[in-house]
Amino acid sequence: MIKESLSVLILDASAFFIAFPVTEKVMTVPGVVSELKDIKGKARFEVLTSMGLVVSEPTLQSVKKVKEASIRSGDGSVLSQTDIEVIALALDVHGTICSDDFALQNTAQYLDIQIHPLLQKKAEMRRWVFRCSGCGKYYDLMPVDMTCQICGLKVRRKNK
Ligand SMILES: [Zn+2]
């Protein structure tokens, strides 16, 4: 019988401020580590490192894929470079992301990545409406170049 491999948890910065039990393999990106500026976060980092935390850069291919997905899901403007790297690493290793960040969860779910919320309830996948500022055409997804395929003007995200 094939042994089922352990899932990998990908931690964002908020995951370092909550002492939740870690039984799985844990990973994060260098950007998250540099965001841990206070003593509590650094102490937690030391503890997790002693438990086998791996810090790894995501592949450029996954970063590109996540950036594209974040534009299409409508979250591109609010995600930080670190958020994008967290999602990209999860994509690389088929990991589960530990985060309470709404935009991060939304883009991750768009890419079928599992989310493990820390304190809050998991966000419902958000659907934006995208509409051309020129001709008014509606789009289900933001075009990758964020411009209208009909008239070439800017497509904007609207709250429903
Ligand atoms: Zn248009």
Side-chain angles (χ1 to χ4, degrees):
M1 233 179 97
I2 298 163
K3 215 177 155 192
E4 211 176 303
S5 62
L6 281 176
S7 65
V8 183
L9 291 179
I10 315 293
L11 309 182
D12 91 340
S14 62
F16 285 87
F17 299 95
I18 299 154
F20 61 93
V22 174
T23 51
E24 285 120 315
K25 190 178 173 191
V26 282
M27 291 182 83
T28 195
V29 295
V32 164
V33 178
S34 63
E35 281 175 23
L36 303 173
K37 292 196 166 65
D38 75 340
I39 289 171
K40 203 181 162 194
K42 282 178 178 164
R44 183 77 182 142
F45 175 71
E46 293 302 325
V47 170
L48 287 168
T49 300
S50 72
M51 292 167 71
L53 172 73
V54 174
V55 181
S56 173
E57 297 263 7
T59 61
L60 289 176
Q61 193 189 2
S62 289
V63 168
K64 195 172 162 235
K65 209 169 156 184
V66 172
K67 278 184 180 165
E68 206 173 286
S70 71
I71 291 169
R72 292 183 74 88
S73 72
D75 300 297
S77 55
V78 288
L79 283 179
S80 69
Q81 180 63 27
T82 302
D83 293 336
I84 288 165
E85 287 178 2
V86 165
I87 303 169
L89 184 62
L91 205 58
D92 283 335
V93 300
H94 305 286
T96 299
I97 298 174
C98 289
S99 174
D100 277 335
D101 185 280
F102 199 77
L104 194 152
Q105 289 188 8
N106 204 51
T107 300
Q109 286 180 78
Y110 183 85
L111 287 161
D112 290 324
I113 293 168
Q114 297 282 339
I115 294 289
H116 179 84
L118 298 161
L119 297 174
Q120 284 147 41
K121 240 182 83 200
K122 189 157 91 181
E124 286 294 310
M125 180 136 175
R126 181 174 42 186
R127 285 284 173 201
W128 300 101
V129 174
F130 304 101
R131 194 176 184 213
C132 173
S133 58
C135 68
K137 181 181 162 55
Y138 282 97
Y139 289 87
D140 289 337
L141 292 169
M142 177 67 92
V144 173
D145 60 1
M146 296 170 89
T147 57
C148 180
Q149 287 151 17
I150 310 289
C151 71
L153 286 176
K154 228 174 140 63
V155 174
R156 294 183 199 284
R157 182 177 89 177
K158 295 175 90 84
N159 285 309
K160 235 178 187 167

